[in-house]
């Protein structure tokens, strides 16, 4: 069992190589061991291409008869854009399969394991299950609930402010935090911001990582009444990733047409007291195979997501700065009545980034 954990750790390293590239599929890694030696490794590189198991099998330079394959997620047993991985395992004489976690996809969900056992292959399941599940949280939520895994992001002073003066841009965190944000952008399917953030910061919302070719996520803008200037940077970016705008049903038709002429996708949803119906936005993103969304603000949008309990996790960057009374808080429009009713983060981790500190965790909402 100890060796199984060791090799599964190596399979997890392989899986992470595909982060940001495989959606709407999960990132999966595989390691093949024979006679106590690693004979091949592989990972899923992109949706529509061979899965991790097949990549590892195809890379092997020797017979795999009698070998063990370690795979972070249950091998598929159905034909989609690629043939079933279970059949490749059987055909190559692999005698033992160690699985990190069962596939929550209803098309699989235990059928791959059952098929392997029916073909006299030993299957061990649940090795480093939590770790294997952690790296595919967006896939799990999307395949089971139809909506994306949603992450709150914020750069904050020690007194909880995201700028120094309301209505004006003001950088809080340092360069190492910025670089970490771009790494997160590379991994997610979409970035979502509100119109006020566009108006104040005029961001490009692209991925820029020094020495690395990052993937631009889809840019999603909430602009209830389509009041943003057509000259905003998010509407004029040369990128493979599109820009999508969500507005209310009563937004002016001429403004919708003007955006569409610029290649921007415009989707109307119902209005809500805070702007637009965010749950409808999430459903629409899920239907478009967006599995993960990074919400970068502003404060009112963060408050609305919290009120509707739409956040799954957070990555918050604290700088050793006091911004003062004139700054805007990370969250506005959200209230709690005490510790027992407060929303909190669990499974919290901390990462030092120069003088800054990243605090990450999962949301836990009060009943």
């Amino acid at each position: 069992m100890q060796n199984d954990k060791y090799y599964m750790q190596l399979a997890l390293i392989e899986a992470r190589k595909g982060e940001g590239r495989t959606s709407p599929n999960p990132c999966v890694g595989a390691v093949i061991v024979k006679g106590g030696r690693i004979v091949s490794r592989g990972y899923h590189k992109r949706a529509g291409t061979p899965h991790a198991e097949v990549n590892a099998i195809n890379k092997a330079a020797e017979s795999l008869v009698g070998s063990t394959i370690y795979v972070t997620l249950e091998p598929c047993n159905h034909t989609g854009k690629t043939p079933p991985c279970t059949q490749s395992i059987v055909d190559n004489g692999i005698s033992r399969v160690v699985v990190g976690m069962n596939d929550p996809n209803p098309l699989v969900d235990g059928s791959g394991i059952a098929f392997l056992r029916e073909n006299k292959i030993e299957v061990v399941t649940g090795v480093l299950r939590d770790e294997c599940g952690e790296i595919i949280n967006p896939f799990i939520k999307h395949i089971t609930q139809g909506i994306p895994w949603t992450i709150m992001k914020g750069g904050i002073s020690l007194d909880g402010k995201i700028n120094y003066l309301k209505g004006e841009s003001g950088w809080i965190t340092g360069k190492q935090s910025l670089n970490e944000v771009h790494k997160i952008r590379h991994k997610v399917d979409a970035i979502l911001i509100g119109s006020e953030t566009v108006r104040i910061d005029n961001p490009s919302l692209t991925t820029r990582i020094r020495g690395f070719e990052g993937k631009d996520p889809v840019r999603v803008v909430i602009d209830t009444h389509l009041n943003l200037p057509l000259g905003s940077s998010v509407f004029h970016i040369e990128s493979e990733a599109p820009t999508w705008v969500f507005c209310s049903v009563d937004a002016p038709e001429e403004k919708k047409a003007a955006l569409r002429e610029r290649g921007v996708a415009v989707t109307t949803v119902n209005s809500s007291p805070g702007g637009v119906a965010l749950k409808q936005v999430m459903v629409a993103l899920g239907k478009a195979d967006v599995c993960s969304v990074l919400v970068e603000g502003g404060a009112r949008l963060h408050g609305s997501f919290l009120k509707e309990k739409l956040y799954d996790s957070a990555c918050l960057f604290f700088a050793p700065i006091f911004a003062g009374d004139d700054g805007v808080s990370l969250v506005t429009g959200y209230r709690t009545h005490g510790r027992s009713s407060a929303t909190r983060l669990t499974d919290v981790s901390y990462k030092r980034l120069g003088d800054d500190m990243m605090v990450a965790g999962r949301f836990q909402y009060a009943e």
Side-chain angles (χ1 to χ4, degrees):
M1 186 64 179
Q2 194 61 39
N3 282 344
D4 285 349
K5 290 183 178 179
Y6 170 75
Y7 290 122
M8 190 61 73
Q9 287 282 11
L10 298 181
L12 280 164
I13 292 172
E14 291 296 310
R16 291 189 183 98
K17 294 178 181 178
E19 284 185 316
R21 302 288 186 180
T22 65
S23 190
N25 290 353
C27 53
V28 181
V31 171
I32 303 176
V33 177
K34 184 176 181 179
R37 296 177 299 109
I38 296 173
V39 297
S40 190
R41 309 174 194 231
Y43 67 97
H44 184 41
K45 297 180 179 180
R46 193 181 296 273
T49 66
H51 293 179
E53 304 94 313
V54 173
N55 281 332
I57 288 169
N58 291 342
K59 284 172 60 178
E62 62 184 85
S63 169
L64 299 180
V65 173
S67 64
T68 297
I69 186 168
Y70 294 84
V71 60
T72 55
L73 187 68
E74 176 185 0
C76 67
N77 192 44
H78 65 285
T79 300
K81 293 182 178 179
T82 59
C85 296
T86 51
Q87 192 62 56
S88 294
I89 291 171
V90 172
D91 291 345
N92 282 273
I94 296 173
S95 60
R96 186 170 181 261
V97 179
V98 180
V99 175
M101 69 170 290
N102 285 31
D103 192 335
N105 186 344
L107 291 174
V108 187
D109 195 18
S111 66
I113 292 169
F115 177 85
L116 293 172
R117 286 174 173 160
E118 288 167 5
N119 282 270
K120 313 304 181 187
I121 294 175
E122 179 188 354
V123 182
V124 177
T125 62
V127 176
L128 298 186
R129 185 193 184 285
D130 290 346
E131 291 89 336
C132 291
E134 186 68 27
I135 65 170
I136 60 168
N137 277 327
F139 169 75
I140 294 172
K141 185 174 183 185
H142 183 254
I143 203 71
T144 58
Q145 299 182 39
I147 57 176
W149 182 270
T150 307
I151 308 162
M152 171 194 268
K153 174 260 172 181
I156 320 161
S157 65
L158 289 178
D159 51 347
K161 304 300 173 63
I162 57 176
N163 61 8
Y164 304 94
L165 188 64
K166 184 177 181 180
E168 292 190 10
S169 181
W171 202 255
I172 296 289
T173 53
K175 291 182 178 179
Q176 290 189 39
S177 289
L178 177 62
N179 191 55
E180 190 72 18
V181 169
H182 283 280
K183 289 179 180 178
I184 297 171
R185 286 182 177 182
H186 167 73
K187 294 178 182 180
V188 299
D189 293 340
I191 305 175
L192 188 151
I193 60 173
S195 58
E196 191 67 12
T197 300
V198 175
R199 187 174 288 106
I200 294 171
D201 295 335
N202 195 25
S204 62
L205 300 182
T206 54
T207 299
R208 302 178 297 279
I209 305 173
R210 183 177 298 176
F212 179 78
E213 185 180 350
K215 169 188 67 66
D216 288 343
V218 176
R219 290 169 291 277
V220 180
V221 179
I222 306 295
D223 186 9
T224 305
H225 304 295
L226 296 183
N227 289 329
L228 282 174
L230 293 177
S232 302
S233 293
V234 288
F235 304 142
H236 297 272
I237 292 184
E238 294 184 5
S239 171
E240 292 183 2
T243 298
W244 300 345
V245 171
F246 286 85
C247 63
S248 68
V249 291
D250 56 356
E253 290 298 327
E254 61 272 18
K255 292 188 176 181
K256 295 177 189 176
L259 285 170
R260 287 169 177 150
E261 285 177 5
R262 287 161 174 77
V264 177
V266 181
T267 302
T268 59
V269 294
N270 291 338
S271 299
S272 74
V276 298
L278 291 177
K279 289 182 180 178
Q280 288 186 20
V281 173
M282 293 295 104
V283 169
L285 293 177
K287 289 181 177 178
D289 276 344
V290 170
C291 298
S292 55
V293 177
L294 182 69
V295 181
E296 297 202 7
R300 190 172 63 178
L301 194 62
H302 283 321
S304 295
F305 269 87
L306 278 175
K307 280 196 298 186
E308 298 194 37
K309 300 181 179 181
L310 291 172
Y311 276 132
D312 296 291
S313 62
C315 286
L316 305 176
F317 299 83
F318 287 87
I321 290 172
F322 292 92
D325 289 342
D326 294 328
V328 175
S329 298
L330 172 66
V331 175
T332 61
Y334 170 77
R335 290 176 173 81
T336 186
H337 303 293
R339 183 178 177 85
S340 62
S341 62
T343 298
R344 64 186 65 211
L345 293 182
T346 62
D347 301 324
V348 180
S349 64
Y350 304 88
K351 184 176 182 178
R352 179 83 177 264
L353 297 164
D355 289 335
D356 298 344
M357 180 69 73
M358 183 180 81
V359 179
R362 290 195 184 199
F363 277 93
Q364 182 181 81
Y365 297 98
E367 295 297 329

